[in-house]
Amino acid sequence: MKILRVKTVAEWQAACGAQGPRAVVFDRGGYYELDRETVIDHDDIVVMGETAPEPVIFSRFGLRVQASNVTLRHLTVLPGPGPRAQDRDGIRVLPRRDKTPVRGFRAINLTVGWSCDEVFSFAHGAVEDALVQDCIFAEALRIAGGTSHPDWTHPKGAHSMGMLIGRRNLGVRIVSNLFAFNFFRNPAVHVASQACVVGNIIYSPFENAAHVYVDKGQGPRDAVFSGNWLVDGPKLHGNRVSAAVATPQPMTSGTVEIYDNGRVMLDQALPASVRATITHCGARPTLADGFSERIRRAVLDRTGGWRDGPDLPWPPPGPSEPDWRAAPGTAQALLRYAARHNALLGGRTP
């Protein structure tokens, strides 16, 4: 495996576009202001943001993955507003160039926010076997262009979306993440997809926390929601979410299982397991950038609200947070999920 060292935007783009097994390490942290979306379309890459002396923050554009065996660790991605808002996700995973699904995708301890569309998305038919764990997905921008750049707001209008698992994705595991200040899709599982959503914290959504889509009676192929927590924040603008997972519409095909999810009311203290998940997630929990630190603190203090546009100037790296504990274990739920759905992945254990 090649070791590719990065300290400039040009070196970052070149490392992502290189071929062959490679590990990307960072000689410097801080902001990398991108001039275009970063594309990873060659297999076998591990990106290790934890190797930098300071948090690594990508701004102005997001990341697009169209390759197998991709691991992203300890990165902060804040694209912010700009043209073609419908394409300005923080991170999006698309099918490979040959139209086959991505396999072996891993996103661990990422912080992603300030998108104009989804903070994170799996396009239709994008993946077979994906794990997203210990990440922060926060502050999807509601009206990103404001009054000065209406063309920078999503064509559908106000659009603050956390995570979309599009149609026909298989073996997707969303585990122990923090979703904060996103109106909808925290996450959303689409028709004919297979996903396990376990142990996530969903803070202050507007109308839906986690939910599924049903089209003409067809729902997800198999969706499991277990051990997720809805944490109430300030009641702003009449947000009315009352459950961590919304009750799905009637289905004639597909399976949705919802069990052992909970809610923490505004006047209730956060359980220790919820606090542990919050402090453990996101990029560099012990050396946090300003965005990650602010989101975690807002959830722990039960403050904050949704955002129309990003902070300007972009927040600098923030203080460290040394006191953190491991998130609660979800091994048994994942093992049950793996045993039930191994056949769908052709014998590969998810």
Side-chain angles (χ1 to χ4, degrees):
M1 176 179 287
K2 296 180 291 186
I3 306 297
L4 303 180
R5 310 193 73 89
V6 168
K7 59 180 180 295
T8 67
V9 170
E11 289 172 343
W12 163 246
Q13 299 282 14
C16 290
Q19 298 188 31
R22 58 213 186 276
V24 179
V25 300
F26 293 84
D27 287 337
R28 77 162 180 89
Y31 281 89
Y32 289 75
E33 294 201 2
L34 304 177
D35 58 0
R36 63 186 185 277
E37 185 178 47
T38 295
V39 179
I40 299 174
D41 58 359
H42 295 295
D43 297 346
D44 304 318
I45 181 172
V46 179
V47 180
M48 298 182 287
E50 69 272 25
T51 58
E54 297 176 321
V56 172
I57 307 165
F58 295 110
S59 65
R60 309 303 180 190
F61 286 88
L63 279 59
R64 183 171 88 232
V65 176
Q66 293 185 265
S68 292
N69 302 322
V70 173
T71 298
L72 306 176
R73 298 199 313 240
H74 292 284
L75 306 172
T76 295
V77 183
L78 304 173
R84 291 191 58 80
Q86 67 271 28
D87 293 333
R88 295 183 72 85
D89 291 6
I91 297 176
R92 52 182 182 153
V93 182
L94 278 64
R96 294 157 50 88
R97 298 290 190 185
D98 62 5
K99 308 301 183 184
T100 59
V102 165
R103 294 181 172 87
F105 175 78
R106 303 290 182 263
I108 310 295
N109 282 104
L110 305 181
T111 294
V112 193
W114 289 350
S115 60
C116 302
D117 201 350
E118 279 84 23
V119 176
F120 192 106
S121 65
F122 292 100
H124 300 323
V127 295
E128 293 181 359
D129 178 22
L131 172 66
V132 180
Q133 184 169 347
D134 296 332
C135 298
I136 293 175
F137 303 111
E139 289 188 353
L141 302 178
R142 194 176 71 96
I143 305 174
T147 57
S148 59
H149 291 282
D151 56 319
W152 289 5
T153 296
H154 195 279
K156 294 180 180 178
H159 204 76
S160 173
M161 306 296 173
M163 175 186 289
L164 176 63
I165 302 168
R167 297 171 183 258
R168 303 183 308 281
N169 288 293
L170 299 179
V172 179
R173 288 146 290 155
I174 310 299
V175 182
S176 297
N177 302 286
L178 170 60
F179 294 84
F181 306 119
N182 308 307
F183 268 41
F184 304 93
R185 300 178 182 168
N186 293 287
V189 182
H190 219 312
V191 169
S193 281
Q194 176 205 9
C196 182
V197 181
V198 177
N200 300 281
I201 311 300
I202 306 162
Y203 180 67
S204 196
F206 180 72
E207 189 163 338
N208 271 326
H211 59 104
V212 304
Y213 284 112
V214 177
D215 183 12
K216 298 179 181 178
Q218 183 182 11
R221 181 171 183 170
D222 201 329
V224 177
F225 298 87
S226 176
N228 303 287
W229 286 91
L230 170 66
V231 177
D232 286 359
K235 291 296 181 183
L236 305 171
H237 311 299
N239 56 321
R240 51 192 178 274
V241 181
S242 60
V245 185
T247 302
Q249 302 173 30
M251 298 186 304
T252 56
S253 65
T255 301
V256 177
E257 294 187 22
I258 301 172
Y259 55 93
D260 296 332
N261 300 285
R263 181 183 183 187
V264 185
M265 308 287 281
L266 190 57
D267 60 351
Q268 295 175 318
L270 293 174
S273 62
V274 171
R275 296 182 67 87
T277 300
I278 294 167
T279 55
H280 181 66
C281 67
R284 308 292 290 271
T286 60
L287 185 65
D289 61 273
F291 182 91
S292 302
E293 179 71 11
R294 179 171 59 80
I295 295 299
R296 277 195 288 264
R297 180 48 52 194
V299 180
L300 291 169
D301 293 344
R302 315 293 285 280
T303 59
W306 310 295
R307 191 169 296 277
D308 284 348
D311 293 332
L312 294 174
W314 305 75
S320 62
E321 187 181 18
D323 296 326
W324 57 281
R325 295 172 292 167
T330 57
Q332 293 307 311
L334 290 176
L335 286 173
R336 289 196 299 271
Y337 174 78
R340 289 173 50 204
H341 301 300
N342 189 28
L344 287 178
L345 294 176
R348 298 185 306 278
T349 300

